[in-house]
Amino acid sequence: MTVLTRQVQRIRGPIEIGVMAFLREIGAMAMFLAATVRHIFKAPFEVQEMILQMYQVGVRSVPIVLISGFFVGGVVVIQFNYALSLFGAEVYLGGITTSGLLREVGPVLVAIMIVGRVGAYITAELATMKVTEQVDAIRCLGVNPVQFLVVPRFLAVSAMIFMLTILGLLVALLGGALVGNLILDINLSFYFANIRKLTAAWALFTGMLKSILFGILLATIACYQGMKTEGGAEAVGQAVNRCLVHCSIAVFLADYIIASLAALTYGLAEEIIF
Amino acid sequence: MSWVENKTLRLIGRTLSQILYLARLGITVEGIGSNLFRFLEVTGGGMVLLIQTLWLVPRPPYRLREILRQALTVGWQSLPLIVVVLGFLGMITVLELNFQLSRVIHNLEYVPGVAGILMFREFGPTVVAAMLAAKVGAGFTAEISSMKNTEQIDALEMLSVNPVHYLVVPRFIATLAMQVALSVIGVAVAFVTGFLISQPRFNFQSYLTTMGHFVGVEDFLNLIAKALLLGAVVPIAACYYGFRAGAGAKGVGEATTRGVVTSILVIILLDFTINVVADKILEVVIQ
Amino acid sequence: MIELRDIGVRFHQAAVLRGADLSVAEGEAVALIGPSGSGKTTVLKTAVGLIRPQAGEVVLAGTNLTRASPASLARVRRQVGMLFQGNALFDSMTVLENIGFVLREVQRLAPAEIQSRVRQFLDRLHLGEIGGLYPRELSGGMKKRVGLARAMIGEPRVLFCDDPTAGLDPITSDAIADLILDFRRQFKVTLLLVSNSLLVVKKIADRVLLLHQGRLLDLGAPESLQDSERPEVRQFLQPEFTS
């Protein structure tokens, strides 16, 4: 027993430190987000910078989102077809695929595709400006770096992830239907017939809600990691890496929270109705 | 002409003209042509690097210690990420299938089985590969591109050591091995979290039984095969972009973005191809 | 030993070298001077085959590099040492591993043998007990010495030095120049050196070339440099005289 207590004592230190560091990081990020949001409504508005960032993060990601969305739609329809065939329930393929893509796979996919771009683009840019003392220079010129650098990027990333998700979803649905038709030989009218039955507006709403949340999370993490970088060129690489990892975890964590909330409300609704 | 002086209107006008200008850039003939050219160049370059690497893998010298060192770094670095992400993914899959299957087959007893099938056949290998692209691939690109910028790659050549053999081959083998190991670990973690989330409905015994009904050896082999094929993407794409990175911190950052995005894109395309081919083979076998 | 014939190199449409000729005899030491950005490093990298020229021929130690297979290129490079401008030390390795790299990866010697030979080299360079340190822990002058040691440990017949005293103080520069001179005498090595430091050039080189608008002009012995009447030489040297 004493051995066990001693072991516990030994592990407790590092774990406590780790948990504290984690909480401190979350707190710092929340403060950063609050500061950013406060500065959104203050003039001057950096519209040009925001448009440039929208172009860099959004417009230039369109081809990737189109291609990956289409093929992921195809992958999902193939896998669901297999899973449903085990129950002889292929009739429902169109409905289940559409609903699954809207609620779950689409938003997560677009977020993960953008993580690569955003992380390396926004974080690397801000981190480079930070380590080459450009941020200090901005501050010395009497300009608030949060307002000048962070707010336009934050708004651009949040807005573009939302729009790209809509685009990605459309293409994924198209990919699902086409692959189902061409590869799995499923009649299209058959495919479309039960979409209406199994896909409620609620599914679309869940997907949109997720994409907004993912957008805010990714924008916050990317800007936060960039702005807190200290050191040299090596620190820039580490910041990018941390941004990629934190964004991935944040996406799946947020997805889990929304999924369980949705399950809860669905369960409640079921109880009320039946 | 008072509206020209109006600040807000001028701002909106300038904004619109900028949007139009930027939008035009993307759809000119030249723009599309150069994009296509770059796509072909990158695909070709990546294939050449892959062939070079495969050619050099069985050739001496075998740098076993370097391979082991890389494997440990890759595995150790990405284990926490894989555990957390696949843990959540396991729970998400069960929740989603609860919702979807309850409407279709009105029976939630099969949910763990279907979740297991999807994890083994699809989400396990692809999500692990995508996470490795973000965590490990980005590191490879940054490392190699900074070596290139400080002439260390030239130095390797001057010391008559093949940079591909020295840098890419150990990373390739290590990532491949770790991709398989981490996929197995990730699916195991998802199995556990999936059990936790479906807690009141199943005890461990019934959970395992349903799982056993659906998941077979062929699904496990599917996982390994996909992990091996998708695992080759990350080191090749990452090293390729590292070797052709531009100068300075900007070049390194750009190379990293391209490496990660290309890796994930190729993973999706390859996964789709594997699925289609497997589906066709299955059809032939059944007939 | 080193022959460049009518070399043309362009980067992204911009011609860096156009018709550059160079010939270095065995045992000779030649210095290459020229304004920054004129392509001195390009000449060096072309001469060792790191850059493939679009026009012309390179012959190094009896092998035509423009037509050489990877295997014969590797064979030639075993007779060549190169000291890079930024040293290009491998930052994932210690000083000992850096210097012993060729012995380990190419000559495949036993670890004990590598150890003793590297230590011998470190002593000769007056570096003492730094074998376990990493490059980032060294000063500029020490890095340069380690880079030189790595280039020389394979006992090459030709040594290329890309601006060996860039960014170093005058005393360290002089010490590095002494070391190169020492290696030259001891190993009878042929030397091609890029440098804009007239002190170093005068100390080491037998002959000076000026890179001017993509061509190499032979200026003869370094001592005659200051009396040269050629306008491009005067233009290049003027700031040195006034300061």
mmCIF file of all heavy atoms in Angstrom, chain A residues 48 51 64 71 75 79 86-87 92 96 99-100 103-104 120 183 198 244-245 253 255, chain B residues 14-15 18 88 92 96 99-100 103-104 110 117 121-122 134-135 257 269 272 275 280:
data_model
loop_
_atom_site.group_PDB
_atom_site.id
_atom_site.type_symbol
_atom_site.label_atom_id
_atom_site.label_comp_id
_atom_site.label_asym_id
_atom_site.label_seq_id
_atom_site.Cartn_x
_atom_site.Cartn_y
_atom_site.Cartn_z
ATOM 1 N N GLN A 48 -9.159 46.293 -45.745
ATOM 2 C CA GLN A 48 -8.283 45.803 -46.825
ATOM 3 C C GLN A 48 -7.507 44.570 -46.384
ATOM 4 O O GLN A 48 -7.427 43.578 -47.097
ATOM 5 C CB GLN A 48 -7.288 46.884 -47.205
ATOM 6 C CG GLN A 48 -7.954 48.104 -47.739
ATOM 7 C CD GLN A 48 -7.177 48.665 -48.902
ATOM 8 O OE1 GLN A 48 -6.170 48.097 -49.295
ATOM 9 N NE2 GLN A 48 -7.655 49.753 -49.443
ATOM 10 N N ILE A 51 -9.709 41.575 -46.293
ATOM 11 C CA ILE A 51 -9.997 41.004 -47.611
ATOM 12 C C ILE A 51 -8.815 40.211 -48.125
ATOM 13 O O ILE A 51 -8.957 39.110 -48.674
ATOM 14 C CB ILE A 51 -10.374 42.121 -48.594
ATOM 15 C CG1 ILE A 51 -11.737 42.675 -48.191
ATOM 16 C CG2 ILE A 51 -10.415 41.622 -50.018
ATOM 17 C CD1 ILE A 51 -12.093 43.919 -48.891
ATOM 18 N N ILE A 64 -8.867 22.928 -53.037
ATOM 19 C CA ILE A 64 -8.660 21.799 -52.129
ATOM 20 C C ILE A 64 -9.982 21.344 -51.549
ATOM 21 O O ILE A 64 -10.263 20.144 -51.477
ATOM 22 C CB ILE A 64 -7.763 22.210 -50.952
ATOM 23 C CG1 ILE A 64 -6.553 22.984 -51.438
ATOM 24 C CG2 ILE A 64 -7.341 21.034 -50.143
ATOM 25 C CD1 ILE A 64 -5.917 23.723 -50.295
ATOM 26 N N PHE A 71 -14.431 13.729 -53.021
ATOM 27 C CA PHE A 71 -13.985 12.353 -52.818
ATOM 28 C C PHE A 71 -14.379 11.820 -51.451
ATOM 29 O O PHE A 71 -14.644 10.626 -51.314
ATOM 30 C CB PHE A 71 -12.483 12.247 -53.061
ATOM 31 C CG PHE A 71 -12.158 12.312 -54.519
ATOM 32 C CD1 PHE A 71 -11.702 13.481 -55.099
ATOM 33 C CD2 PHE A 71 -12.372 11.219 -55.334
ATOM 34 C CE1 PHE A 71 -11.442 13.556 -56.449
ATOM 35 C CE2 PHE A 71 -12.120 11.280 -56.690
ATOM 36 C CZ PHE A 71 -11.657 12.442 -57.247
ATOM 37 N N VAL A 75 -16.239 8.400 -50.549
ATOM 38 C CA VAL A 75 -15.792 7.417 -49.560
ATOM 39 C C VAL A 75 -16.930 7.089 -48.599
ATOM 40 O O VAL A 75 -17.198 5.914 -48.303
ATOM 41 C CB VAL A 75 -14.569 7.964 -48.786
ATOM 42 C CG1 VAL A 75 -14.279 7.096 -47.585
ATOM 43 C CG2 VAL A 75 -13.354 8.035 -49.679
ATOM 44 N N GLN A 79 -18.647 3.365 -47.853
ATOM 45 C CA GLN A 79 -18.609 2.714 -46.538
ATOM 46 C C GLN A 79 -20.016 2.507 -45.978
ATOM 47 O O GLN A 79 -20.306 1.443 -45.420
ATOM 48 C CB GLN A 79 -17.772 3.547 -45.558
ATOM 49 C CG GLN A 79 -16.295 3.608 -45.892
ATOM 50 C CD GLN A 79 -15.612 2.263 -45.806
ATOM 51 O OE1 GLN A 79 -16.183 1.278 -45.357
ATOM 52 N NE2 GLN A 79 -14.368 2.218 -46.257
ATOM 53 N N LEU A 86 -25.214 -4.892 -44.626
ATOM 54 C CA LEU A 86 -25.202 -5.955 -43.621
ATOM 55 C C LEU A 86 -26.592 -6.173 -43.048
ATOM 56 O O LEU A 86 -26.915 -7.245 -42.571
ATOM 57 C CB LEU A 86 -24.228 -5.596 -42.484
ATOM 58 C CG LEU A 86 -22.757 -5.461 -42.890
ATOM 59 C CD1 LEU A 86 -21.938 -4.988 -41.714
ATOM 60 C CD2 LEU A 86 -22.221 -6.789 -43.406
ATOM 61 N N PHE A 87 -27.437 -5.115 -43.071
ATOM 62 C CA PHE A 87 -28.795 -5.243 -42.565
ATOM 63 C C PHE A 87 -29.806 -5.334 -43.701
ATOM 64 O O PHE A 87 -31.004 -5.305 -43.449
ATOM 65 C CB PHE A 87 -29.146 -4.028 -41.696
ATOM 66 C CG PHE A 87 -28.149 -3.766 -40.615
ATOM 67 C CD1 PHE A 87 -27.186 -2.798 -40.770
ATOM 68 C CD2 PHE A 87 -28.170 -4.512 -39.454
ATOM 69 C CE1 PHE A 87 -26.272 -2.569 -39.772
ATOM 70 C CE2 PHE A 87 -27.254 -4.283 -38.456
ATOM 71 C CZ PHE A 87 -26.294 -3.309 -38.613
ATOM 72 N N TYR A 92 -31.974 3.003 -47.576
ATOM 73 C CA TYR A 92 -31.816 4.250 -46.839
ATOM 74 C C TYR A 92 -30.505 4.954 -47.150
ATOM 75 O O TYR A 92 -30.193 5.964 -46.529
ATOM 76 C CB TYR A 92 -31.896 3.981 -45.340
ATOM 77 C CG TYR A 92 -33.205 3.386 -44.918
ATOM 78 C CD1 TYR A 92 -33.303 2.087 -44.438
ATOM 79 C CD2 TYR A 92 -34.375 4.138 -45.026
ATOM 80 C CE1 TYR A 92 -34.505 1.543 -44.062
ATOM 81 C CE2 TYR A 92 -35.597 3.605 -44.668
ATOM 82 C CZ TYR A 92 -35.659 2.311 -44.175
ATOM 83 O OH TYR A 92 -36.863 1.782 -43.810
ATOM 84 N N ILE A 96 -29.142 8.417 -45.286
ATOM 85 C CA ILE A 96 -28.123 8.315 -44.238
ATOM 86 C C ILE A 96 -26.849 9.048 -44.661
ATOM 87 O O ILE A 96 -26.235 9.773 -43.875
ATOM 88 C CB ILE A 96 -27.799 6.825 -43.955
ATOM 89 C CG1 ILE A 96 -29.023 6.120 -43.370
ATOM 90 C CG2 ILE A 96 -26.634 6.709 -43.031
ATOM 91 C CD1 ILE A 96 -29.297 6.467 -41.938
ATOM 92 N N SER A 99 -27.451 12.860 -44.502
ATOM 93 C CA SER A 99 -27.524 13.315 -43.119
ATOM 94 C C SER A 99 -26.151 13.251 -42.441
ATOM 95 O O SER A 99 -25.742 14.179 -41.754
ATOM 96 C CB SER A 99 -28.538 12.458 -42.384
ATOM 97 O OG SER A 99 -28.509 12.738 -41.018
ATOM 98 N N GLY A 100 -25.441 12.138 -42.658
ATOM 99 C CA GLY A 100 -24.119 11.987 -42.044
ATOM 100 C C GLY A 100 -23.145 13.032 -42.532
ATOM 101 O O GLY A 100 -22.366 13.594 -41.759
ATOM 102 N N ARG A 103 -24.225 16.558 -41.034
ATOM 103 C CA ARG A 103 -24.078 16.708 -39.584
ATOM 104 C C ARG A 103 -22.641 16.563 -39.131
ATOM 105 O O ARG A 103 -22.200 17.242 -38.210
ATOM 106 C CB ARG A 103 -24.922 15.653 -38.868
ATOM 107 C CG ARG A 103 -26.406 15.936 -38.821
ATOM 108 C CD ARG A 103 -27.142 14.666 -38.441
ATOM 109 N NE ARG A 103 -26.547 14.059 -37.249
ATOM 110 C CZ ARG A 103 -27.036 14.233 -36.032
ATOM 111 N NH1 ARG A 103 -28.100 14.957 -35.840
ATOM 112 N NH2 ARG A 103 -26.461 13.652 -34.996
ATOM 113 N N GLU A 104 -21.920 15.624 -39.734
ATOM 114 C CA GLU A 104 -20.680 15.200 -39.107
ATOM 115 C C GLU A 104 -19.462 15.360 -40.009
ATOM 116 O O GLU A 104 -18.557 16.152 -39.743
ATOM 117 C CB GLU A 104 -20.833 13.726 -38.719
ATOM 118 C CG GLU A 104 -19.879 13.240 -37.709
ATOM 119 C CD GLU A 104 -20.085 13.946 -36.393
ATOM 120 O OE1 GLU A 104 -21.216 13.973 -35.873
ATOM 121 O OE2 GLU A 104 -19.113 14.508 -35.903
ATOM 122 N N ALA A 120 -0.303 26.926 -40.875
ATOM 123 C CA ALA A 120 0.988 27.292 -41.377
ATOM 124 C C ALA A 120 0.947 28.710 -41.907
ATOM 125 O O ALA A 120 1.904 29.432 -41.791
ATOM 126 C CB ALA A 120 1.418 26.307 -42.410
ATOM 127 N N ILE A 183 -20.313 4.120 -59.333
ATOM 128 C CA ILE A 183 -19.494 3.004 -58.856
ATOM 129 C C ILE A 183 -20.343 1.921 -58.225
ATOM 130 O O ILE A 183 -20.124 0.739 -58.425
ATOM 131 C CB ILE A 183 -18.440 3.524 -57.864
ATOM 132 C CG1 ILE A 183 -17.715 4.697 -58.501
ATOM 133 C CG2 ILE A 183 -17.515 2.394 -57.408
ATOM 134 C CD1 ILE A 183 -16.299 4.574 -58.748
ATOM 135 N N LEU A 198 -35.159 11.392 -44.365
ATOM 136 C CA LEU A 198 -34.181 11.177 -43.288
ATOM 137 C C LEU A 198 -33.333 12.395 -42.969
ATOM 138 O O LEU A 198 -32.536 12.366 -42.052
ATOM 139 C CB LEU A 198 -33.251 10.010 -43.662
ATOM 140 C CG LEU A 198 -33.907 8.641 -43.590
ATOM 141 C CD1 LEU A 198 -33.009 7.593 -44.172
ATOM 142 C CD2 LEU A 198 -34.268 8.314 -42.163
ATOM 143 N N LEU A 244 -1.063 23.346 -35.343
ATOM 144 C CA LEU A 244 -1.683 22.216 -36.041
ATOM 145 C C LEU A 244 -2.255 21.217 -35.042
ATOM 146 O O LEU A 244 -3.393 20.759 -35.179
ATOM 147 C CB LEU A 244 -0.662 21.533 -36.956
ATOM 148 C CG LEU A 244 -0.133 22.350 -38.127
ATOM 149 C CD1 LEU A 244 0.906 21.576 -38.883
ATOM 150 C CD2 LEU A 244 -1.263 22.743 -39.047
ATOM 151 N N VAL A 245 -1.468 20.891 -34.013
ATOM 152 C CA VAL A 245 -1.897 19.880 -33.049
ATOM 153 C C VAL A 245 -3.086 20.388 -32.244
ATOM 154 O O VAL A 245 -4.112 19.702 -32.118
ATOM 155 C CB VAL A 245 -0.727 19.517 -32.116
ATOM 156 C CG1 VAL A 245 -1.211 18.663 -30.972
ATOM 157 C CG2 VAL A 245 0.340 18.783 -32.891
ATOM 158 N N LEU A 253 -12.652 17.688 -30.230
ATOM 159 C CA LEU A 253 -13.259 17.913 -28.920
ATOM 160 C C LEU A 253 -14.595 18.648 -29.081
ATOM 161 O O LEU A 253 -15.629 18.239 -28.527
ATOM 162 C CB LEU A 253 -12.306 18.719 -28.041
ATOM 163 C CG LEU A 253 -12.830 19.130 -26.661
ATOM 164 C CD1 LEU A 253 -13.080 17.890 -25.829
ATOM 165 C CD2 LEU A 253 -11.860 20.046 -25.950
ATOM 166 N N ASP A 255 -16.420 18.842 -31.701
ATOM 167 C CA ASP A 255 -17.345 17.977 -32.413
ATOM 168 C C ASP A 255 -18.009 17.006 -31.444
ATOM 169 O O ASP A 255 -19.220 16.789 -31.494
ATOM 170 C CB ASP A 255 -16.593 17.224 -33.506
ATOM 171 C CG ASP A 255 -17.538 16.504 -34.434
ATOM 172 O OD1 ASP A 255 -18.620 17.049 -34.676
ATOM 173 O OD2 ASP A 255 -17.204 15.413 -34.894
ATOM 174 N N ARG B 14 -13.892 50.698 -52.595
ATOM 175 C CA ARG B 14 -12.544 50.147 -52.695
ATOM 176 C C ARG B 14 -12.562 48.652 -52.415
ATOM 177 O O ARG B 14 -11.889 47.862 -53.073
ATOM 178 C CB ARG B 14 -11.639 50.870 -51.710
ATOM 179 C CG ARG B 14 -10.232 51.027 -52.216
ATOM 180 C CD ARG B 14 -9.470 52.016 -51.381
ATOM 181 N NE ARG B 14 -9.532 51.662 -49.981
ATOM 182 C CZ ARG B 14 -9.339 52.543 -48.989
ATOM 183 N NH1 ARG B 14 -9.091 53.802 -49.269
ATOM 184 N NH2 ARG B 14 -9.392 52.163 -47.733
ATOM 185 N N THR B 15 -13.354 48.277 -51.404
ATOM 186 C CA THR B 15 -13.451 46.864 -51.043
ATOM 187 C C THR B 15 -13.961 46.043 -52.218
ATOM 188 O O THR B 15 -13.378 45.015 -52.577
ATOM 189 C CB THR B 15 -14.428 46.707 -49.866
ATOM 190 O OG1 THR B 15 -14.082 47.657 -48.876
ATOM 191 C CG2 THR B 15 -14.369 45.324 -49.315
ATOM 192 N N GLN B 18 -11.489 45.626 -54.897
ATOM 193 C CA GLN B 18 -10.441 44.666 -54.522
ATOM 194 C C GLN B 18 -10.916 43.228 -54.692
ATOM 195 O O GLN B 18 -10.188 42.385 -55.199
ATOM 196 C CB GLN B 18 -10.063 44.880 -53.070
ATOM 197 C CG GLN B 18 -9.166 46.072 -52.903
ATOM 198 C CD GLN B 18 -8.084 45.814 -51.901
ATOM 199 O OE1 GLN B 18 -8.188 44.885 -51.119
ATOM 200 N NE2 GLN B 18 -7.050 46.616 -51.940
ATOM 201 N N PHE B 88 -11.829 10.734 -28.986
ATOM 202 C CA PHE B 88 -13.047 11.500 -29.266
ATOM 203 C C PHE B 88 -13.779 10.934 -30.473
ATOM 204 O O PHE B 88 -14.998 10.844 -30.488
ATOM 205 C CB PHE B 88 -12.709 12.975 -29.495
ATOM 206 C CG PHE B 88 -12.452 13.711 -28.219
ATOM 207 C CD1 PHE B 88 -11.250 14.345 -27.996
ATOM 208 C CD2 PHE B 88 -13.426 13.748 -27.232
ATOM 209 C CE1 PHE B 88 -11.014 15.017 -26.805
ATOM 210 C CE2 PHE B 88 -13.193 14.425 -26.040
ATOM 211 C CZ PHE B 88 -11.986 15.054 -25.839
ATOM 212 N N ILE B 92 -17.645 9.980 -30.926
ATOM 213 C CA ILE B 92 -18.461 10.679 -31.924
ATOM 214 C C ILE B 92 -19.133 9.671 -32.842
ATOM 215 O O ILE B 92 -20.326 9.775 -33.148
ATOM 216 C CB ILE B 92 -17.594 11.650 -32.740
ATOM 217 C CG1 ILE B 92 -17.080 12.785 -31.856
ATOM 218 C CG2 ILE B 92 -18.382 12.233 -33.900
ATOM 219 C CD1 ILE B 92 -15.967 13.594 -32.480
ATOM 220 N N GLU B 96 -23.118 9.350 -33.358
ATOM 221 C CA GLU B 96 -23.713 9.607 -34.660
ATOM 222 C C GLU B 96 -24.499 8.384 -35.144
ATOM 223 O O GLU B 96 -25.597 8.514 -35.682
ATOM 224 C CB GLU B 96 -22.597 9.994 -35.643
ATOM 225 C CG GLU B 96 -23.070 10.374 -37.021
ATOM 226 C CD GLU B 96 -23.890 11.654 -37.028
ATOM 227 O OE1 GLU B 96 -23.727 12.454 -36.092
ATOM 228 O OE2 GLU B 96 -24.677 11.836 -37.962
ATOM 229 N N PHE B 99 -27.811 7.913 -33.566
ATOM 230 C CA PHE B 99 -28.824 8.757 -34.184
ATOM 231 C C PHE B 99 -29.273 8.174 -35.517
ATOM 232 O O PHE B 99 -30.463 8.005 -35.777
ATOM 233 C CB PHE B 99 -28.248 10.164 -34.362
ATOM 234 C CG PHE B 99 -29.121 11.078 -35.157
ATOM 235 C CD1 PHE B 99 -30.270 11.615 -34.603
ATOM 236 C CD2 PHE B 99 -28.796 11.400 -36.462
ATOM 237 C CE1 PHE B 99 -31.080 12.454 -35.329
ATOM 238 C CE2 PHE B 99 -29.602 12.246 -37.197
ATOM 239 C CZ PHE B 99 -30.755 12.768 -36.632
ATOM 240 N N GLN B 100 -28.285 7.839 -36.375
ATOM 241 C CA GLN B 100 -28.632 7.423 -37.732
ATOM 242 C C GLN B 100 -29.338 6.072 -37.750
ATOM 243 O O GLN B 100 -30.356 5.905 -38.415
ATOM 244 C CB GLN B 100 -27.387 7.354 -38.628
ATOM 245 C CG GLN B 100 -26.636 8.664 -38.784
ATOM 246 C CD GLN B 100 -27.381 9.677 -39.608
ATOM 247 O OE1 GLN B 100 -28.503 9.455 -40.016
ATOM 248 N NE2 GLN B 100 -26.765 10.836 -39.828
ATOM 249 N N ARG B 103 -33.056 5.488 -36.722
ATOM 250 C CA ARG B 103 -34.122 5.855 -37.651
ATOM 251 C C ARG B 103 -34.278 4.834 -38.766
ATOM 252 O O ARG B 103 -35.279 4.831 -39.460
ATOM 253 C CB ARG B 103 -33.834 7.220 -38.256
ATOM 254 C CG ARG B 103 -33.711 8.286 -37.174
ATOM 255 C CD ARG B 103 -33.408 9.618 -37.771
ATOM 256 N NE ARG B 103 -32.230 9.548 -38.611
ATOM 257 C CZ ARG B 103 -31.952 10.462 -39.531
ATOM 258 N NH1 ARG B 103 -32.762 11.450 -39.755
ATOM 259 N NH2 ARG B 103 -30.850 10.362 -40.238
ATOM 260 N N VAL B 104 -33.243 4.011 -38.973
ATOM 261 C CA VAL B 104 -33.268 3.138 -40.132
ATOM 262 C C VAL B 104 -33.616 1.703 -39.756
ATOM 263 O O VAL B 104 -34.497 1.097 -40.348
ATOM 264 C CB VAL B 104 -31.913 3.169 -40.856
ATOM 265 C CG1 VAL B 104 -31.931 2.253 -42.049
ATOM 266 C CG2 VAL B 104 -31.590 4.577 -41.275
ATOM 267 N N TYR B 110 -26.859 -3.033 -32.705
ATOM 268 C CA TYR B 110 -25.792 -3.244 -33.689
ATOM 269 C C TYR B 110 -24.806 -2.082 -33.761
ATOM 270 O O TYR B 110 -23.831 -2.151 -34.484
ATOM 271 C CB TYR B 110 -26.399 -3.464 -35.071
ATOM 272 C CG TYR B 110 -27.343 -4.636 -35.129
ATOM 273 C CD1 TYR B 110 -28.588 -4.525 -35.706
ATOM 274 C CD2 TYR B 110 -26.960 -5.865 -34.583
ATOM 275 C CE1 TYR B 110 -29.459 -5.604 -35.744
ATOM 276 C CE2 TYR B 110 -27.817 -6.941 -34.627
ATOM 277 C CZ TYR B 110 -29.060 -6.810 -35.204
ATOM 278 O OH TYR B 110 -29.905 -7.871 -35.230
ATOM 279 N N ILE B 117 -16.756 -1.497 -37.572
ATOM 280 C CA ILE B 117 -16.468 -1.632 -39.003
ATOM 281 C C ILE B 117 -15.939 -0.325 -39.573
ATOM 282 O O ILE B 117 -14.910 -0.275 -40.258
ATOM 283 C CB ILE B 117 -17.748 -2.050 -39.763
ATOM 284 C CG1 ILE B 117 -18.069 -3.500 -39.462
ATOM 285 C CG2 ILE B 117 -17.558 -1.872 -41.256
ATOM 286 C CD1 ILE B 117 -19.333 -3.942 -40.148
ATOM 287 N N ARG B 121 -12.254 0.038 -41.073
ATOM 288 C CA ARG B 121 -12.148 0.146 -42.526
ATOM 289 C C ARG B 121 -11.858 1.559 -42.998
ATOM 290 O O ARG B 121 -11.276 1.738 -44.065
ATOM 291 C CB ARG B 121 -13.449 -0.337 -43.169
ATOM 292 C CG ARG B 121 -13.679 -1.820 -42.992
ATOM 293 C CD ARG B 121 -15.104 -2.152 -43.384
ATOM 294 N NE ARG B 121 -15.340 -1.793 -44.763
ATOM 295 C CZ ARG B 121 -15.280 -2.640 -45.779
ATOM 296 N NH1 ARG B 121 -14.994 -3.881 -45.557
ATOM 297 N NH2 ARG B 121 -15.521 -2.224 -47.003
ATOM 298 N N GLU B 122 -12.302 2.570 -42.242
ATOM 299 C CA GLU B 122 -12.227 3.920 -42.782
ATOM 300 C C GLU B 122 -11.534 4.928 -41.861
ATOM 301 O O GLU B 122 -10.455 5.419 -42.153
ATOM 302 C CB GLU B 122 -13.651 4.407 -43.096
ATOM 303 C CG GLU B 122 -13.690 5.659 -43.905
ATOM 304 C CD GLU B 122 -12.904 5.528 -45.169
ATOM 305 O OE1 GLU B 122 -13.077 4.535 -45.887
ATOM 306 O OE2 GLU B 122 -12.073 6.418 -45.428
ATOM 307 N N ALA B 134 -0.149 16.322 -40.030
ATOM 308 C CA ALA B 134 -0.084 17.598 -39.324
ATOM 309 C C ALA B 134 1.059 17.623 -38.322
ATOM 310 O O ALA B 134 1.759 18.623 -38.187
ATOM 311 C CB ALA B 134 -1.411 17.878 -38.617
ATOM 312 N N LYS B 135 1.251 16.513 -37.624
ATOM 313 C CA LYS B 135 2.240 16.529 -36.536
ATOM 314 C C LYS B 135 3.646 16.204 -37.054
ATOM 315 O O LYS B 135 4.582 16.955 -36.847
ATOM 316 C CB LYS B 135 1.811 15.519 -35.461
ATOM 317 C CG LYS B 135 2.775 15.336 -34.327
ATOM 318 C CD LYS B 135 2.638 16.423 -33.300
ATOM 319 C CE LYS B 135 3.888 16.517 -32.464
ATOM 320 N NZ LYS B 135 3.941 17.674 -31.609
ATOM 321 N N THR B 257 3.032 24.509 -45.068
ATOM 322 C CA THR B 257 1.610 24.526 -45.443
ATOM 323 C C THR B 257 1.354 23.578 -46.588
ATOM 324 O O THR B 257 0.449 22.748 -46.539
ATOM 325 C CB THR B 257 1.175 25.902 -45.991
ATOM 326 O OG1 THR B 257 1.875 26.894 -45.321
ATOM 327 C CG2 THR B 257 -0.296 26.096 -45.877
ATOM 328 N N LEU B 269 -7.556 11.188 -51.665
ATOM 329 C CA LEU B 269 -7.661 10.623 -53.014
ATOM 330 C C LEU B 269 -7.280 9.151 -53.024
ATOM 331 O O LEU B 269 -7.964 8.309 -53.624
ATOM 332 C CB LEU B 269 -6.767 11.397 -53.980
ATOM 333 C CG LEU B 269 -7.163 12.840 -54.252
ATOM 334 C CD1 LEU B 269 -6.211 13.484 -55.227
ATOM 335 C CD2 LEU B 269 -8.574 12.895 -54.784
ATOM 336 N N PHE B 272 -9.898 7.024 -51.393
ATOM 337 C CA PHE B 272 -11.028 6.826 -52.300
ATOM 338 C C PHE B 272 -10.707 5.746 -53.326
ATOM 339 O O PHE B 272 -11.500 4.843 -53.571
ATOM 340 C CB PHE B 272 -11.367 8.148 -52.997
ATOM 341 C CG PHE B 272 -12.449 8.033 -54.024
ATOM 342 C CD1 PHE B 272 -13.774 7.939 -53.637
ATOM 343 C CD2 PHE B 272 -12.141 8.002 -55.373
ATOM 344 C CE1 PHE B 272 -14.775 7.832 -54.577
ATOM 345 C CE2 PHE B 272 -13.136 7.893 -56.317
ATOM 346 C CZ PHE B 272 -14.462 7.800 -55.917
ATOM 347 N N ASN B 275 -10.813 2.344 -51.849
ATOM 348 C CA ASN B 275 -12.189 1.910 -51.614
ATOM 349 C C ASN B 275 -12.854 1.436 -52.898
ATOM 350 O O ASN B 275 -13.521 0.398 -52.916
ATOM 351 C CB ASN B 275 -13.000 3.051 -51.008
ATOM 352 C CG ASN B 275 -12.765 3.166 -49.524
ATOM 353 O OD1 ASN B 275 -12.403 2.193 -48.873
ATOM 354 N ND2 ASN B 275 -12.938 4.347 -48.995
ATOM 355 N N LYS B 280 -14.771 -2.990 -56.289
ATOM 356 C CA LYS B 280 -14.836 -3.715 -57.562
ATOM 357 C C LYS B 280 -14.366 -5.157 -57.385
ATOM 358 O O LYS B 280 -14.969 -6.095 -57.920
ATOM 359 C CB LYS B 280 -13.961 -3.018 -58.614
ATOM 360 C CG LYS B 280 -14.527 -1.699 -59.081
ATOM 361 C CD LYS B 280 -15.763 -1.893 -59.963
ATOM 362 C CE LYS B 280 -16.507 -0.587 -60.120
ATOM 363 N NZ LYS B 280 -17.936 -0.714 -60.272
#
